[in-house]
Amino acid sequence: MSYIVSSLLAFIGLSLGANQRSLQQATPGQPGVPFIPQIPAIPQGNPLERLCVLDYTDPASCAGKAEIIMNPGDYFQMDCAARGACAQSTTTFQYDTSSASLYIDAVVFSEEYAGYGATIVVENTRPGNQVVLNKLECKAPGACQGLTIILKNADLNELDCSDPNFCSACFIKENLVDPPKPCFGW
């Protein structure tokens, strides 16, 4: 019996010892161990669109939120395409010296009250080159009501508001010194 117990204890001891091995870490240049260099992070491209397609009553909508979009690429388009989708929101397009983009293609408010009381800021901190918002569209009743557009070292090329009811109380501030200009008739 003692032979069985001592054999069993020896077997358990060998098993435990095998599990307590220490692992060796490979180092570059160690013989027999391949070296794999670190892969640099792939830079994310500049965003080209922002789609706000949920009604303002949906908590996941863009309504009532503040968002900064850094260095959006040329051809960037923002669509607020549901009732109140971007209402009471603040969207800031920021351009810094790392951006080569020259314009935002369009910001579109296509449904009723899609941009109600919203603020759009185009802020360019690069010296020399202005960023151009090519087109701002107000396509439905109240779509741009109470909208404020602030341009800092930026310009607005075209504002499409075919009916005063689409953009009432909508104003554009070209700088912080001059008085704001109404959107209708821009």
Side-chain angles (χ1 to χ4, degrees):
M1 176 73 144
S2 66
Y3 175 73
I4 294 174
V5 172
S6 63
S7 296
L8 185 59
L9 289 175
F11 176 74
I12 292 172
L14 289 174
S15 296
L16 289 175
N19 287 335
Q20 294 176 353
R21 292 181 303 187
S22 61
L23 296 175
Q24 293 182 353
Q25 292 196 354
T27 55
Q30 186 175 358
V33 178
F35 172 69
I36 300 173
Q38 276 190 319
I39 299 171
I42 298 170
Q44 297 292 323
N46 293 344
L48 293 178
E49 68 180 357
R50 175 70 169 115
L51 301 176
C52 296
V53 295
L54 299 174
D55 188 271
Y56 72 97
T57 59
D58 190 317
S61 76
C62 298
K65 301 207 169 80
E67 180 177 27
I68 296 173
I69 301 174
M70 284 299 298
N71 300 321
D74 289 336
Y75 306 105
F76 179 88
Q77 183 160 333
M78 179 174 167
D79 289 311
C80 296
R83 181 177 170 88
C86 298
Q88 299 291 319
S89 65
T90 299
T91 304
T92 302
F93 301 102
Q94 278 188 343
Y95 292 86
D96 62 21
T97 55
S98 69
S99 174
S101 298
L102 299 175
Y103 63 92
I104 299 168
D105 191 43
V107 175
V108 180
F109 300 99
S110 60
E111 304 300 321
E112 291 179 336
Y113 303 104
Y116 177 82
T119 301
I120 300 290
V121 180
V122 182
E123 183 176 4
N124 176 20
T125 60
R126 299 177 304 182
N129 293 332
Q130 274 196 333
V131 172
V132 176
L133 171 53
N134 274 341
K135 191 171 195 178
L136 177 75
E137 296 183 51
C138 307
K139 296 179 151 190
C144 295
Q145 183 176 336
L147 176 70
T148 301
I149 300 122
I150 301 170
L151 304 170
K152 296 179 180 179
N153 193 25
D155 197 12
L156 174 62
N157 190 34
E158 179 182 350
L159 195 150
D160 181 4
C161 180
S162 60
D163 185 309
N165 293 320
F166 291 9
C167 56
S168 62
C170 172
F171 292 97
I172 301 161
K173 295 181 180 182
E174 293 185 273
N175 57 54
L176 299 177
V177 179
D178 294 337
K181 297 177 183 177
C183 295
F184 187 72
W186 174 265

